[in-house]
Amino acid sequence: MKLDVLAIAAHPDDVELTCGGTLLKMAQKGYRTGILDLTAGEMGTRGTPETRAKEAGKAARILKVSWRGTLGVPDSDVQPARQHKMRLAAQIRELRPHTVILPYWEARHPDHYHASTLGYEGCFLAGLKQLALDGEPFRPFKILYATSFEGMPASFIVDITKQYEARRRAILAYGSQFRPGKSERKQKVFLAIDQLDARMDLMARHYGQMIGVRYGEPFLQKELMAVEDVVALPVRSI
Ligand SMILES: [Zn+2]
């Protein structure tokens, strides 16, 4: 297995919400894409791990990913612990992704910022020749951070206008998270589906507007972008 793009995140549905449109767009370009959920989302208030696995499978089909797996880190206890890093490194050696998308390194939910660190350190370890781990040493070429929900300045934005509707369906595939059962409808804890829909639309439009398109997804990279041709730069200035 050799992936072009692998998105890693803490919980099933995180990737759909932050970079689902970009993953689909890359698959449509012919790249092999994948999603690695660090946990099975078993601490979620709603839905069993089995339901979430089914929903994750459906979302993966909508986003046309070539591979989706779960690392088996305990939900709500994502940490850059040695054993998790080693498992992740083994997975990276198997999947050999050219580009890895991680969550941004600051977040409200500890699982999200720990997922960022765990992801980075797992990718680093995977390249160490002396590591007592099976598989050929390998390090991804590029690491990108998905910043949708953190409001951080992005390095670039991907136009996902043509992918937005499918991304929306992939997110709504997680029915157990967003569709209240009868007994839950009056509770305040539920992020009702119409609110989620409105919020997704607002975020994607906000970022799309910054590059002059309808819908966008923002990313940050630690390196600067190299440019060959300043005449071919997209996005109008005035
Ligand atoms: Zn999450």
Side-chain angles (χ1 to χ4, degrees):
M1 176 73 72
K2 167 85 185 111
L3 292 181
D4 297 301
V5 188
L6 174 67
I8 303 175
H11 316 109
D13 81 6
D14 286 354
V15 160
E16 285 80 355
L17 285 161
T18 58
C19 59
T22 302
L23 278 186
L24 175 59
K25 186 167 183 162
M26 294 308 106
Q28 288 168 340
K29 281 183 183 292
Y31 289 120
R32 289 175 70 83
T33 62
I35 299 173
L36 177 60
D37 304 308
L38 296 174
T39 78
E42 68 272 16
M43 293 299 280
T45 325
R46 297 166 295 273
T48 62
E50 292 73 30
T51 329
R52 293 196 85 173
K54 226 187 249 172
E55 292 166 346
K58 188 177 171 195
R61 284 191 296 281
I62 296 171
L63 297 180
K64 300 186 189 304
V65 299
S66 305
W67 184 90
R68 183 169 207 157
T70 306
L71 197 68
V73 173
D75 189 2
S76 87
D77 197 26
V78 175
Q79 305 266 359
R82 183 76 180 172
Q83 79 267 26
H84 302 331
K85 283 193 269 187
M86 290 293 272
R87 284 178 74 171
L88 180 54
Q91 193 77 78
I92 293 291
R93 284 184 174 190
E94 261 176 52
L95 299 171
R96 308 179 76 75
H98 179 86
T99 300
V100 165
I101 301 176
L102 297 176
Y104 182 63
W105 57 86
E106 282 172 11
R108 184 188 65 86
H109 196 316
D111 275 3
H112 294 171
Y113 58 74
H114 283 314
S116 189
T117 311
L118 172 55
Y120 181 88
E121 295 184 5
C123 289
F124 188 87
L125 273 191
L128 289 180
K129 288 187 182 67
Q130 304 301 331
L131 196 69
L133 189 68
D134 287 346
E136 187 93 350
F138 177 86
R139 216 167 260 160
F141 177 80
K142 177 61 73 181
I143 296 185
L144 301 176
Y145 298 89
T147 58
S148 273
F149 284 91
E150 310 309 334
M152 300 309 294
S155 307
F156 62 89
I157 291 167
V158 176
D159 175 4
I160 59 151
T161 306
K162 290 196 178 110
Q163 291 75 29
Y164 182 78
E165 190 45 42
R167 187 191 85 154
R168 178 177 173 271
R169 278 189 287 114
I171 294 167
L172 299 184
Y174 292 88
S176 70
Q177 301 304 297
F178 307 124
R179 289 195 176 85
K182 269 193 185 139
S183 60
E184 292 175 306
R185 269 178 211 159
K186 292 215 171 82
Q187 292 174 12
K188 286 253 156 60
V189 290
F190 233 105
L191 176 57
I193 207 154
D194 52 338
Q195 285 173 31
L196 174 78
D197 216 6
R199 199 169 144 203
M200 281 188 313
D201 189 81
L202 187 70
M203 299 286 278
R205 286 182 73 153
H206 168 72
Y207 289 108
Q209 195 185 37
M210 290 180 176
I211 56 164
V213 302
R214 189 164 177 88
Y215 291 114
E217 277 173 349
F219 295 90
L220 189 141
Q221 62 171 5
K222 290 178 177 169
E223 309 74 39
L224 284 180
M225 308 273 285
V227 170
E228 273 298 320
D229 183 347
V230 294
V231 181
L233 280 173
V235 186
R236 175 176 284 278
S237 300
I238 54 174

